[in-house]
Amino acid sequence: MRRTQLYEVHRKTAEMTTFANFEMPLCYKGITAEHLAVRNSVGVFDISHMGRVTITGSDAENFLNYVLTNDTSTLTPNSALYSVMCNENGGIIDDLVVSRLDKEKFMLVPNATNRDKDYNWLVEKAEGFKVKIEDVSDKVAMLAVQGPNAEKTLQKICNVDLSKIERFKCAPARLADVEVFLSRTGYTGEDGFEIYVWNATLENPDNAIKVWNTILKAGADFGIQPCGLGARDTLRLEAGLCLYGNDIDETITPLEARLSFVVKFQKNNFIGKNALLKQKDEGVKRRRVGLQMIEHGIPRQGFKIYNDKDENIGNVTSGTFSPLLKCGIAMAYVQTIYAQEGNIVNVEIRGKNAKAKIAPFPFYDAEKYGYKRKIQT
Amino acid sequence: MVKVDGYEVPEGLYYTKDFEWLKIEGDKVRVGITDYAQKQLREIVYAELPSPGATTKQNEPYGTVESVKAVSDLVAPVSGTVEEVNAEVQSKPELLNEDPYGKGWLLILKPSNLQAELANLMDFNKAVEWHKNLAKEGK
């Protein structure tokens, strides 16, 4: 069983769970309370269970452009982008955020489940490229501060002007007197930052603990909540963001997963390009959709979806109860002809059919919630 | 009322190992889930209950409660006929978390074989011992 730099903090304050072979906090105060804190104000997460891999060298940009579907040549230093990494069949090996620290230095953040797989894949594919690949996960901790009051919270303890950092931009900074790298990104749909805490090893995690505690103190005025994986899951689901292993895996392509915005076909060559081009021409047979329950019940992973003729047309890949909408929501794959927004389908919940409609992402009203919200807190 | 490792166990009730309680009220019984059950489930969002007139059979499911975390069958502590259903927990399932022995009651049953079936339930003292074991086993 693996632990993060903040394990000792969680052990004393959270209900713990196991995820991707990590002992992680499930929740502190409660999933709903933590979820709503992020939507309405601010929450802090330990996300050190995810991987951190640095790619350095004169071929770093070219190498990443070969293994990733998105275009890293468009990344200027101190900016980040979301991408998938595919195999030759176009199946998704992982989805990840890449940050450019410098001309010849990048940071990749693989999912916890894929830490070893990604590292091995990258090393294997790096043959012939002048790059150095290093897994720094156990030397660099990672936190996320998310919610409409994330900037105000961090500004109190940070030496750079955070209002100058746009979404998907980054900056080296000092936070709580600790060297960090800030990235205006996240996995909740809200505005917020992900914080790479340098010099925070599993053996000496003091810097990570100091940043964590200082953030909690700085956010006290805003009612900051420490948040566990429970709220992380409900938040990302409401926002329509994929969870690797549930909603995407090596049998699913980014086109089926509606992630084609990160596939740049105009790039020279990248792993999976031919298979994806072929699929693009032929059209996808199934698509990832949002499901919003009309009737009672929570659609959960593996539940089957039926049309009005009682034919199985797809299945749920992850689901939960939306604390904001107060109904069951899910991500699912359905045959393309049923994927249109507004369509009504049946979800089989413990032997009974319950009606749901195909809903757009995010599930919430983007005028009121999320980083594009018009109503400020 | 005693608290075993933070879990409330009121006196005067009977308990099942399916985490339900039963209270005798004249010739009827009132049924609900225990504090331990609601704390394990956490935030409960749905309660699916039978309608008045339906029958229950001891040790068999009669409904479900669903939380953000999990779904759980409700298992009847005794056999009988449903006389009354708590409509309030269906519209406000959080009552099951807030007040499992009070406003969070689920059914009132007219039992069909109460004296014989009570022998299969735990009384207060046995329930306290059982809760101590649950706590020891680390939930």
Side-chain angles (χ1 to χ4, degrees), chain A residues 15 26-27 30-33 234 296-298 300 320-321 326-328 350 352, chain B residues 39-40 42-43 45-48 64-71 73 90 139:
Chain A
E15 184 183 325
L26 173 69
C27 61
I31 294 172
T32 309
T234 54
H296 274 192
I298 302 178
R300 298 189 192 264
T320 192
F321 183 80
K326 300 211 178 298
C327 66
R350 293 182 296 285
K352 273 191 253 169
Chain B
K39 285 196 166 106
Q40 291 299 303
R42 293 189 156 271
E43 300 138 72
V45 293
Y46 293 117
E48 259 182 66
T64 55
V65 281
E66 183 155 22
S67 69
V68 174
K69 202 170 124 187
V71 190
D73 275 331
Q90 290 175 300
K139 294 153 201 179

PDB file of all heavy atoms in Angstrom, chain A residues 15 26-27 30-33 234 296-298 300 320-321 326-328 350 352, chain B residues 39-40 42-43 45-48 64-71 73 90 139:
ATOM      1  N   GLU A  15     -11.673  10.204   7.146  1.00  0.00           N
ATOM      2  CA  GLU A  15     -12.003   8.795   6.989  1.00  0.00           C
ATOM      3  C   GLU A  15     -11.234   8.314   5.766  1.00  0.00           C
ATOM      4  O   GLU A  15     -11.307   8.921   4.699  1.00  0.00           O
ATOM      5  CB  GLU A  15     -13.507   8.609   6.783  1.00  0.00           C
ATOM      6  CG  GLU A  15     -13.883   7.149   6.708  1.00  0.00           C
ATOM      7  CD  GLU A  15     -15.363   6.941   6.441  1.00  0.00           C
ATOM      8  OE1 GLU A  15     -16.176   7.746   6.929  1.00  0.00           O
ATOM      9  OE2 GLU A  15     -15.696   5.978   5.737  1.00  0.00           O
ATOM     10  N   LEU A  26     -11.052   9.635   2.157  1.00  0.00           N
ATOM     11  CA  LEU A  26     -12.339   9.577   1.452  1.00  0.00           C
ATOM     12  C   LEU A  26     -13.084  10.882   1.704  1.00  0.00           C
ATOM     13  O   LEU A  26     -13.594  11.510   0.785  1.00  0.00           O
ATOM     14  CB  LEU A  26     -13.171   8.395   1.937  1.00  0.00           C
ATOM     15  CG  LEU A  26     -14.597   8.315   1.405  1.00  0.00           C
ATOM     16  CD1 LEU A  26     -14.609   7.995  -0.085  1.00  0.00           C
ATOM     17  CD2 LEU A  26     -15.427   7.300   2.150  1.00  0.00           C
ATOM     18  N   CYS A  27     -13.135  11.269   2.974  1.00  0.00           N
ATOM     19  CA  CYS A  27     -13.754  12.541   3.300  1.00  0.00           C
ATOM     20  C   CYS A  27     -13.338  12.971   4.705  1.00  0.00           C
ATOM     21  O   CYS A  27     -12.849  12.157   5.487  1.00  0.00           O
ATOM     22  CB  CYS A  27     -15.267  12.477   3.176  1.00  0.00           C
ATOM     23  SG  CYS A  27     -16.032  11.290   4.274  1.00  0.00           S
ATOM     24  N   GLY A  30     -17.575  15.362   5.295  1.00  0.00           N
ATOM     25  CA  GLY A  30     -18.654  14.686   4.564  1.00  0.00           C
ATOM     26  C   GLY A  30     -18.584  15.075   3.104  1.00  0.00           C
ATOM     27  O   GLY A  30     -18.210  16.211   2.778  1.00  0.00           O
ATOM     28  N   ILE A  31     -18.922  14.144   2.232  1.00  0.00           N
ATOM     29  CA  ILE A  31     -18.764  14.384   0.796  1.00  0.00           C
ATOM     30  C   ILE A  31     -19.567  15.605   0.349  1.00  0.00           C
ATOM     31  O   ILE A  31     -19.055  16.478  -0.354  1.00  0.00           O
ATOM     32  CB  ILE A  31     -19.177  13.127  -0.009  1.00  0.00           C
ATOM     33  CG1 ILE A  31     -18.206  11.974   0.289  1.00  0.00           C
ATOM     34  CG2 ILE A  31     -19.205  13.425  -1.500  1.00  0.00           C
ATOM     35  CD1 ILE A  31     -18.629  10.633  -0.296  1.00  0.00           C
ATOM     36  N   THR A  32     -20.813  15.686   0.778  1.00  0.00           N
ATOM     37  CA  THR A  32     -21.668  16.789   0.325  1.00  0.00           C
ATOM     38  C   THR A  32     -21.147  18.140   0.814  1.00  0.00           C
ATOM     39  O   THR A  32     -21.074  19.100   0.038  1.00  0.00           O
ATOM     40  CB  THR A  32     -23.117  16.572   0.800  1.00  0.00           C
ATOM     41  OG1 THR A  32     -23.522  15.256   0.424  1.00  0.00           O
ATOM     42  CG2 THR A  32     -24.063  17.584   0.183  1.00  0.00           C
ATOM     43  N   ALA A  33     -20.769  18.202   2.088  1.00  0.00           N
ATOM     44  CA  ALA A  33     -20.264  19.467   2.647  1.00  0.00           C
ATOM     45  C   ALA A  33     -18.997  19.909   1.917  1.00  0.00           C
ATOM     46  O   ALA A  33     -18.825  21.097   1.600  1.00  0.00           O
ATOM     47  CB  ALA A  33     -19.986  19.307   4.137  1.00  0.00           C
ATOM     48  N   THR A 234     -17.349  13.391  -7.007  1.00  0.00           N
ATOM     49  CA  THR A 234     -18.645  14.011  -7.324  1.00  0.00           C
ATOM     50  C   THR A 234     -18.442  15.330  -8.076  1.00  0.00           C
ATOM     51  O   THR A 234     -19.219  15.663  -8.968  1.00  0.00           O
ATOM     52  CB  THR A 234     -19.483  14.254  -6.046  1.00  0.00           C
ATOM     53  OG1 THR A 234     -18.722  15.014  -5.107  1.00  0.00           O
ATOM     54  CG2 THR A 234     -19.892  12.945  -5.394  1.00  0.00           C
ATOM     55  N   HIS A 296     -36.034   8.388  -9.611  1.00  0.00           N
ATOM     56  CA  HIS A 296     -35.140   8.140  -8.481  1.00  0.00           C
ATOM     57  C   HIS A 296     -34.060   7.123  -8.798  1.00  0.00           C
ATOM     58  O   HIS A 296     -34.225   6.285  -9.655  1.00  0.00           O
ATOM     59  CB  HIS A 296     -35.949   7.628  -7.281  1.00  0.00           C
ATOM     60  CG  HIS A 296     -36.522   8.737  -6.468  1.00  0.00           C
ATOM     61  ND1 HIS A 296     -37.070   8.539  -5.227  1.00  0.00           N
ATOM     62  CD2 HIS A 296     -36.609  10.064  -6.711  1.00  0.00           C
ATOM     63  CE1 HIS A 296     -37.488   9.690  -4.751  1.00  0.00           C
ATOM     64  NE2 HIS A 296     -37.230  10.622  -5.629  1.00  0.00           N
ATOM     65  N   GLY A 297     -32.969   7.180  -8.054  1.00  0.00           N
ATOM     66  CA  GLY A 297     -31.931   6.172  -8.171  1.00  0.00           C
ATOM     67  C   GLY A 297     -30.611   6.770  -8.612  1.00  0.00           C
ATOM     68  O   GLY A 297     -30.581   7.841  -9.227  1.00  0.00           O
ATOM     69  N   ILE A 298     -29.548   6.087  -8.243  1.00  0.00           N
ATOM     70  CA  ILE A 298     -28.215   6.524  -8.643  1.00  0.00           C
ATOM     71  C   ILE A 298     -27.658   5.512  -9.633  1.00  0.00           C
ATOM     72  O   ILE A 298     -27.495   4.342  -9.304  1.00  0.00           O
ATOM     73  CB  ILE A 298     -27.273   6.633  -7.425  1.00  0.00           C
ATOM     74  CG1 ILE A 298     -27.855   7.616  -6.397  1.00  0.00           C
ATOM     75  CG2 ILE A 298     -25.893   7.080  -7.875  1.00  0.00           C
ATOM     76  CD1 ILE A 298     -27.020   7.749  -5.144  1.00  0.00           C
ATOM     77  N   ARG A 300     -24.932   3.559 -11.356  1.00  0.00           N
ATOM     78  CA  ARG A 300     -23.558   3.282 -10.953  1.00  0.00           C
ATOM     79  C   ARG A 300     -22.831   2.484 -12.017  1.00  0.00           C
ATOM     80  O   ARG A 300     -23.458   1.932 -12.931  1.00  0.00           O
ATOM     81  CB  ARG A 300     -23.542   2.555  -9.608  1.00  0.00           C
ATOM     82  CG  ARG A 300     -24.155   3.413  -8.484  1.00  0.00           C
ATOM     83  CD  ARG A 300     -23.959   2.819  -7.113  1.00  0.00           C
ATOM     84  NE  ARG A 300     -24.759   3.484  -6.102  1.00  0.00           N
ATOM     85  CZ  ARG A 300     -24.322   4.477  -5.293  1.00  0.00           C
ATOM     86  NH1 ARG A 300     -23.094   4.918  -5.398  1.00  0.00           N
ATOM     87  NH2 ARG A 300     -25.123   5.009  -4.396  1.00  0.00           N
ATOM     88  N   THR A 320     -23.068   9.010  -9.753  1.00  0.00           N
ATOM     89  CA  THR A 320     -23.140   9.437  -8.362  1.00  0.00           C
ATOM     90  C   THR A 320     -24.436  10.212  -8.150  1.00  0.00           C
ATOM     91  O   THR A 320     -25.237  10.366  -9.065  1.00  0.00           O
ATOM     92  CB  THR A 320     -21.924  10.310  -7.986  1.00  0.00           C
ATOM     93  OG1 THR A 320     -21.876  10.465  -6.569  1.00  0.00           O
ATOM     94  CG2 THR A 320     -22.002  11.692  -8.621  1.00  0.00           C
ATOM     95  N   PHE A 321     -24.607  10.685  -6.940  1.00  0.00           N
ATOM     96  CA  PHE A 321     -25.707  11.595  -6.636  1.00  0.00           C
ATOM     97  C   PHE A 321     -25.119  12.994  -6.688  1.00  0.00           C
ATOM     98  O   PHE A 321     -24.142  13.296  -6.015  1.00  0.00           O
ATOM     99  CB  PHE A 321     -26.252  11.293  -5.235  1.00  0.00           C
ATOM    100  CG  PHE A 321     -27.437  12.124  -4.853  1.00  0.00           C
ATOM    101  CD1 PHE A 321     -28.708  11.808  -5.306  1.00  0.00           C
ATOM    102  CD2 PHE A 321     -27.287  13.228  -4.026  1.00  0.00           C
ATOM    103  CE1 PHE A 321     -29.808  12.568  -4.944  1.00  0.00           C
ATOM    104  CE2 PHE A 321     -28.389  13.996  -3.660  1.00  0.00           C
ATOM    105  CZ  PHE A 321     -29.659  13.661  -4.121  1.00  0.00           C
ATOM    106  N   LYS A 326     -29.170  17.465  -6.976  1.00  0.00           N
ATOM    107  CA  LYS A 326     -29.955  16.595  -6.095  1.00  0.00           C
ATOM    108  C   LYS A 326     -30.684  15.495  -6.855  1.00  0.00           C
ATOM    109  O   LYS A 326     -31.863  15.226  -6.651  1.00  0.00           O
ATOM    110  CB  LYS A 326     -30.945  17.422  -5.259  1.00  0.00           C
ATOM    111  CG  LYS A 326     -30.252  18.446  -4.369  1.00  0.00           C
ATOM    112  CD  LYS A 326     -31.012  18.716  -3.097  1.00  0.00           C
ATOM    113  CE  LYS A 326     -30.300  19.708  -2.197  1.00  0.00           C
ATOM    114  NZ  LYS A 326     -28.972  19.212  -1.762  1.00  0.00           N
ATOM    115  N   CYS A 327     -29.931  14.885  -7.782  1.00  0.00           N
ATOM    116  CA  CYS A 327     -30.453  13.708  -8.472  1.00  0.00           C
ATOM    117  C   CYS A 327     -29.267  12.872  -8.922  1.00  0.00           C
ATOM    118  O   CYS A 327     -28.120  13.308  -8.828  1.00  0.00           O
ATOM    119  CB  CYS A 327     -31.318  14.112  -9.668  1.00  0.00           C
ATOM    120  SG  CYS A 327     -30.394  14.910 -10.965  1.00  0.00           S
ATOM    121  N   GLY A 328     -29.553  11.678  -9.405  1.00  0.00           N
ATOM    122  CA  GLY A 328     -28.491  10.828  -9.906  1.00  0.00           C
ATOM    123  C   GLY A 328     -27.953  11.362 -11.222  1.00  0.00           C
ATOM    124  O   GLY A 328     -28.711  11.821 -12.074  1.00  0.00           O
ATOM    125  N   ARG A 350     -30.918  -2.093 -10.292  1.00  0.00           N
ATOM    126  CA  ARG A 350     -31.334  -3.260  -9.490  1.00  0.00           C
ATOM    127  C   ARG A 350     -32.640  -3.881 -10.019  1.00  0.00           C
ATOM    128  O   ARG A 350     -33.620  -4.012  -9.300  1.00  0.00           O
ATOM    129  CB  ARG A 350     -31.475  -2.863  -8.015  1.00  0.00           C
ATOM    130  CG  ARG A 350     -30.114  -2.514  -7.398  1.00  0.00           C
ATOM    131  CD  ARG A 350     -30.224  -2.157  -5.936  1.00  0.00           C
ATOM    132  NE  ARG A 350     -31.001  -0.970  -5.671  1.00  0.00           N
ATOM    133  CZ  ARG A 350     -30.575   0.263  -5.880  1.00  0.00           C
ATOM    134  NH1 ARG A 350     -29.367   0.472  -6.380  1.00  0.00           N
ATOM    135  NH2 ARG A 350     -31.334   1.295  -5.600  1.00  0.00           N
ATOM    136  N   LYS A 352     -34.856  -2.805 -12.070  1.00  0.00           N
ATOM    137  CA  LYS A 352     -35.968  -1.953 -12.508  1.00  0.00           C
ATOM    138  C   LYS A 352     -35.441  -0.854 -13.428  1.00  0.00           C
ATOM    139  O   LYS A 352     -34.371  -0.309 -13.206  1.00  0.00           O
ATOM    140  CB  LYS A 352     -36.641  -1.292 -11.297  1.00  0.00           C
ATOM    141  CG  LYS A 352     -37.729  -2.153 -10.669  1.00  0.00           C
ATOM    142  CD  LYS A 352     -38.536  -1.327  -9.658  1.00  0.00           C
ATOM    143  CE  LYS A 352     -38.205  -1.725  -8.241  1.00  0.00           C
ATOM    144  NZ  LYS A 352     -38.739  -0.831  -7.223  1.00  0.00           N
TER     145      LYS A 352
ATOM    146  N   LYS B  39     -24.408   5.723   9.953  1.00  0.00           N
ATOM    147  CA  LYS B  39     -23.036   6.247   9.929  1.00  0.00           C
ATOM    148  C   LYS B  39     -22.176   5.505   8.909  1.00  0.00           C
ATOM    149  O   LYS B  39     -21.260   6.077   8.319  1.00  0.00           O
ATOM    150  CB  LYS B  39     -22.412   6.156  11.323  1.00  0.00           C
ATOM    151  CG  LYS B  39     -22.968   7.232  12.272  1.00  0.00           C
ATOM    152  CD  LYS B  39     -22.109   7.424  13.513  1.00  0.00           C
ATOM    153  CE  LYS B  39     -22.486   8.702  14.240  1.00  0.00           C
ATOM    154  NZ  LYS B  39     -23.244   8.463  15.476  1.00  0.00           N
ATOM    155  N   GLN B  40     -22.456   4.231   8.710  1.00  0.00           N
ATOM    156  CA  GLN B  40     -21.730   3.474   7.685  1.00  0.00           C
ATOM    157  C   GLN B  40     -22.108   3.951   6.287  1.00  0.00           C
ATOM    158  O   GLN B  40     -21.261   4.106   5.424  1.00  0.00           O
ATOM    159  CB  GLN B  40     -22.027   1.976   7.816  1.00  0.00           C
ATOM    160  CG  GLN B  40     -21.453   1.337   9.061  1.00  0.00           C
ATOM    161  CD  GLN B  40     -19.942   1.433   9.109  1.00  0.00           C
ATOM    162  OE1 GLN B  40     -19.258   0.970   8.204  1.00  0.00           O
ATOM    163  NE2 GLN B  40     -19.413   2.043  10.152  1.00  0.00           N
ATOM    164  N   ARG B  42     -23.399   6.849   5.515  1.00  0.00           N
ATOM    165  CA  ARG B  42     -23.206   8.291   5.376  1.00  0.00           C
ATOM    166  C   ARG B  42     -24.404   8.920   4.674  1.00  0.00           C
ATOM    167  O   ARG B  42     -25.505   8.450   4.833  1.00  0.00           O
ATOM    168  CB  ARG B  42     -21.913   8.616   4.658  1.00  0.00           C
ATOM    169  CG  ARG B  42     -20.711   8.212   5.483  1.00  0.00           C
ATOM    170  CD  ARG B  42     -19.452   8.724   4.878  1.00  0.00           C
ATOM    171  NE  ARG B  42     -18.450   8.824   5.910  1.00  0.00           N
ATOM    172  CZ  ARG B  42     -18.285   9.895   6.656  1.00  0.00           C
ATOM    173  NH1 ARG B  42     -19.018  10.967   6.456  1.00  0.00           N
ATOM    174  NH2 ARG B  42     -17.373   9.921   7.600  1.00  0.00           N
ATOM    175  N   GLU B  43     -24.122   9.929   3.835  1.00  0.00           N
ATOM    176  CA  GLU B  43     -25.193  10.784   3.335  1.00  0.00           C
ATOM    177  C   GLU B  43     -26.253  10.034   2.514  1.00  0.00           C
ATOM    178  O   GLU B  43     -26.046   9.735   1.352  1.00  0.00           O
ATOM    179  CB  GLU B  43     -24.552  11.900   2.526  1.00  0.00           C
ATOM    180  CG  GLU B  43     -23.620  12.710   3.402  1.00  0.00           C
ATOM    181  CD  GLU B  43     -22.312  13.078   2.733  1.00  0.00           C
ATOM    182  OE1 GLU B  43     -22.345  13.933   1.856  1.00  0.00           O
ATOM    183  OE2 GLU B  43     -21.279  12.496   3.083  1.00  0.00           O
ATOM    184  N   VAL B  45     -29.504   9.466   0.377  1.00  0.00           N
ATOM    185  CA  VAL B  45     -30.209  10.329  -0.573  1.00  0.00           C
ATOM    186  C   VAL B  45     -31.537   9.743  -1.078  1.00  0.00           C
ATOM    187  O   VAL B  45     -32.355  10.471  -1.616  1.00  0.00           O
ATOM    188  CB  VAL B  45     -29.306  10.719  -1.758  1.00  0.00           C
ATOM    189  CG1 VAL B  45     -28.182  11.619  -1.266  1.00  0.00           C
ATOM    190  CG2 VAL B  45     -28.715   9.506  -2.453  1.00  0.00           C
ATOM    191  N   TYR B  46     -31.704   8.433  -0.927  1.00  0.00           N
ATOM    192  CA  TYR B  46     -32.977   7.834  -1.318  1.00  0.00           C
ATOM    193  C   TYR B  46     -33.384   6.764  -0.314  1.00  0.00           C
ATOM    194  O   TYR B  46     -32.541   6.023   0.180  1.00  0.00           O
ATOM    195  CB  TYR B  46     -32.892   7.149  -2.689  1.00  0.00           C
ATOM    196  CG  TYR B  46     -32.689   8.088  -3.842  1.00  0.00           C
ATOM    197  CD1 TYR B  46     -31.542   8.010  -4.618  1.00  0.00           C
ATOM    198  CD2 TYR B  46     -33.643   9.050  -4.158  1.00  0.00           C
ATOM    199  CE1 TYR B  46     -31.335   8.878  -5.687  1.00  0.00           C
ATOM    200  CE2 TYR B  46     -33.452   9.918  -5.213  1.00  0.00           C
ATOM    201  CZ  TYR B  46     -32.293   9.832  -5.974  1.00  0.00           C
ATOM    202  OH  TYR B  46     -32.106  10.689  -7.020  1.00  0.00           O
ATOM    203  N   ALA B  47     -34.688   6.695  -0.042  1.00  0.00           N
ATOM    204  CA  ALA B  47     -35.230   5.576   0.728  1.00  0.00           C
ATOM    205  C   ALA B  47     -36.389   5.022  -0.083  1.00  0.00           C
ATOM    206  O   ALA B  47     -37.342   5.738  -0.380  1.00  0.00           O
ATOM    207  CB  ALA B  47     -35.715   6.051   2.091  1.00  0.00           C
ATOM    208  N   GLU B  48     -36.262   3.769  -0.491  1.00  0.00           N
ATOM    209  CA  GLU B  48     -37.351   3.134  -1.238  1.00  0.00           C
ATOM    210  C   GLU B  48     -38.091   2.197  -0.300  1.00  0.00           C
ATOM    211  O   GLU B  48     -37.527   1.220   0.186  1.00  0.00           O
ATOM    212  CB  GLU B  48     -36.800   2.367  -2.431  1.00  0.00           C
ATOM    213  CG  GLU B  48     -36.964   3.143  -3.720  1.00  0.00           C
ATOM    214  CD  GLU B  48     -36.465   2.368  -4.914  1.00  0.00           C
ATOM    215  OE1 GLU B  48     -37.074   1.322  -5.227  1.00  0.00           O
ATOM    216  OE2 GLU B  48     -35.473   2.812  -5.510  1.00  0.00           O
ATOM    217  N   THR B  64     -34.926  -0.387   0.050  1.00  0.00           N
ATOM    218  CA  THR B  64     -33.498  -0.051  -0.009  1.00  0.00           C
ATOM    219  C   THR B  64     -33.279   1.374   0.479  1.00  0.00           C
ATOM    220  O   THR B  64     -34.181   2.222   0.400  1.00  0.00           O
ATOM    221  CB  THR B  64     -32.927  -0.126  -1.449  1.00  0.00           C
ATOM    222  OG1 THR B  64     -33.727   0.706  -2.291  1.00  0.00           O
ATOM    223  CG2 THR B  64     -32.906  -1.531  -1.995  1.00  0.00           C
ATOM    224  N   VAL B  65     -32.107   1.601   1.010  1.00  0.00           N
ATOM    225  CA  VAL B  65     -31.654   2.981   1.226  1.00  0.00           C
ATOM    226  C   VAL B  65     -30.376   3.152   0.423  1.00  0.00           C
ATOM    227  O   VAL B  65     -29.555   2.246   0.329  1.00  0.00           O
ATOM    228  CB  VAL B  65     -31.380   3.317   2.714  1.00  0.00           C
ATOM    229  CG1 VAL B  65     -32.671   3.603   3.442  1.00  0.00           C
ATOM    230  CG2 VAL B  65     -30.582   2.236   3.408  1.00  0.00           C
ATOM    231  N   GLU B  66     -30.240   4.326  -0.151  1.00  0.00           N
ATOM    232  CA  GLU B  66     -29.083   4.588  -0.997  1.00  0.00           C
ATOM    233  C   GLU B  66     -28.421   5.870  -0.538  1.00  0.00           C
ATOM    234  O   GLU B  66     -29.081   6.880  -0.297  1.00  0.00           O
ATOM    235  CB  GLU B  66     -29.531   4.697  -2.459  1.00  0.00           C
ATOM    236  CG  GLU B  66     -28.377   4.902  -3.411  1.00  0.00           C
ATOM    237  CD  GLU B  66     -28.669   4.434  -4.826  1.00  0.00           C
ATOM    238  OE1 GLU B  66     -29.856   4.339  -5.187  1.00  0.00           O
ATOM    239  OE2 GLU B  66     -27.697   4.172  -5.563  1.00  0.00           O
ATOM    240  N   SER B  67     -27.097   5.787  -0.387  1.00  0.00           N
ATOM    241  CA  SER B  67     -26.335   6.978  -0.024  1.00  0.00           C
ATOM    242  C   SER B  67     -25.419   7.322  -1.190  1.00  0.00           C
ATOM    243  O   SER B  67     -25.340   6.574  -2.167  1.00  0.00           O
ATOM    244  CB  SER B  67     -25.502   6.714   1.227  1.00  0.00           C
ATOM    245  OG  SER B  67     -24.467   5.808   0.925  1.00  0.00           O
ATOM    246  N   VAL B  68     -24.744   8.452  -1.077  1.00  0.00           N
ATOM    247  CA  VAL B  68     -23.783   8.828  -2.111  1.00  0.00           C
ATOM    248  C   VAL B  68     -22.806   7.675  -2.316  1.00  0.00           C
ATOM    249  O   VAL B  68     -22.393   7.375  -3.420  1.00  0.00           O
ATOM    250  CB  VAL B  68     -23.038  10.118  -1.683  1.00  0.00           C
ATOM    251  CG1 VAL B  68     -21.935  10.458  -2.661  1.00  0.00           C
ATOM    252  CG2 VAL B  68     -24.023  11.280  -1.568  1.00  0.00           C
ATOM    253  N   LYS B  69     -22.506   6.982  -1.221  1.00  0.00           N
ATOM    254  CA  LYS B  69     -21.468   5.961  -1.206  1.00  0.00           C
ATOM    255  C   LYS B  69     -21.952   4.579  -1.654  1.00  0.00           C
ATOM    256  O   LYS B  69     -21.238   3.894  -2.367  1.00  0.00           O
ATOM    257  CB  LYS B  69     -20.959   5.878   0.241  1.00  0.00           C
ATOM    258  CG  LYS B  69     -19.592   5.293   0.451  1.00  0.00           C
ATOM    259  CD  LYS B  69     -19.153   5.529   1.908  1.00  0.00           C
ATOM    260  CE  LYS B  69     -18.809   4.238   2.597  1.00  0.00           C
ATOM    261  NZ  LYS B  69     -18.534   4.408   4.033  1.00  0.00           N
ATOM    262  N   ALA B  70     -23.150   4.175  -1.204  1.00  0.00           N
ATOM    263  CA  ALA B  70     -23.543   2.781  -1.419  1.00  0.00           C
ATOM    264  C   ALA B  70     -25.052   2.587  -1.339  1.00  0.00           C
ATOM    265  O   ALA B  70     -25.777   3.459  -0.870  1.00  0.00           O
ATOM    266  CB  ALA B  70     -22.874   1.891  -0.385  1.00  0.00           C
ATOM    267  N   VAL B  71     -25.493   1.401  -1.800  1.00  0.00           N
ATOM    268  CA  VAL B  71     -26.894   1.005  -1.677  1.00  0.00           C
ATOM    269  C   VAL B  71     -26.974  -0.106  -0.656  1.00  0.00           C
ATOM    270  O   VAL B  71     -26.090  -0.952  -0.593  1.00  0.00           O
ATOM    271  CB  VAL B  71     -27.437   0.426  -2.989  1.00  0.00           C
ATOM    272  CG1 VAL B  71     -28.947   0.262  -2.915  1.00  0.00           C
ATOM    273  CG2 VAL B  71     -27.059   1.287  -4.142  1.00  0.00           C
ATOM    274  N   ASP B  73     -29.797  -2.937   1.238  1.00  0.00           N
ATOM    275  CA  ASP B  73     -31.146  -3.479   1.408  1.00  0.00           C
ATOM    276  C   ASP B  73     -31.637  -3.195   2.814  1.00  0.00           C
ATOM    277  O   ASP B  73     -30.858  -3.210   3.768  1.00  0.00           O
ATOM    278  CB  ASP B  73     -31.130  -5.000   1.206  1.00  0.00           C
ATOM    279  CG  ASP B  73     -31.239  -5.372  -0.262  1.00  0.00           C
ATOM    280  OD1 ASP B  73     -31.840  -4.599  -1.024  1.00  0.00           O
ATOM    281  OD2 ASP B  73     -30.722  -6.447  -0.640  1.00  0.00           O
ATOM    282  N   GLN B  90     -38.986   9.835   2.766  1.00  0.00           N
ATOM    283  CA  GLN B  90     -38.850   9.673   1.319  1.00  0.00           C
ATOM    284  C   GLN B  90     -38.562  11.005   0.647  1.00  0.00           C
ATOM    285  O   GLN B  90     -37.811  11.067  -0.311  1.00  0.00           O
ATOM    286  CB  GLN B  90     -40.097   8.998   0.741  1.00  0.00           C
ATOM    287  CG  GLN B  90     -40.160   7.526   1.169  1.00  0.00           C
ATOM    288  CD  GLN B  90     -41.428   6.834   0.743  1.00  0.00           C
ATOM    289  OE1 GLN B  90     -42.524   7.238   1.126  1.00  0.00           O
ATOM    290  NE2 GLN B  90     -41.291   5.788  -0.048  1.00  0.00           N
ATOM    291  N   LYS B 139     -15.211  -1.803  12.307  1.00  0.00           N
ATOM    292  CA  LYS B 139     -16.340  -1.507  11.436  1.00  0.00           C
ATOM    293  C   LYS B 139     -16.520  -2.581  10.385  1.00  0.00           C
ATOM    294  O   LYS B 139     -16.056  -2.487   9.301  1.00  0.00           O
ATOM    295  CB  LYS B 139     -16.241  -0.111  10.818  1.00  0.00           C
ATOM    296  CG  LYS B 139     -16.344   0.959  11.866  1.00  0.00           C
ATOM    297  CD  LYS B 139     -15.633   2.226  11.452  1.00  0.00           C
ATOM    298  CE  LYS B 139     -15.303   3.085  12.669  1.00  0.00           C
ATOM    299  NZ  LYS B 139     -14.603   4.292  12.370  1.00  0.00           N
TER     300      LYS B 139
END
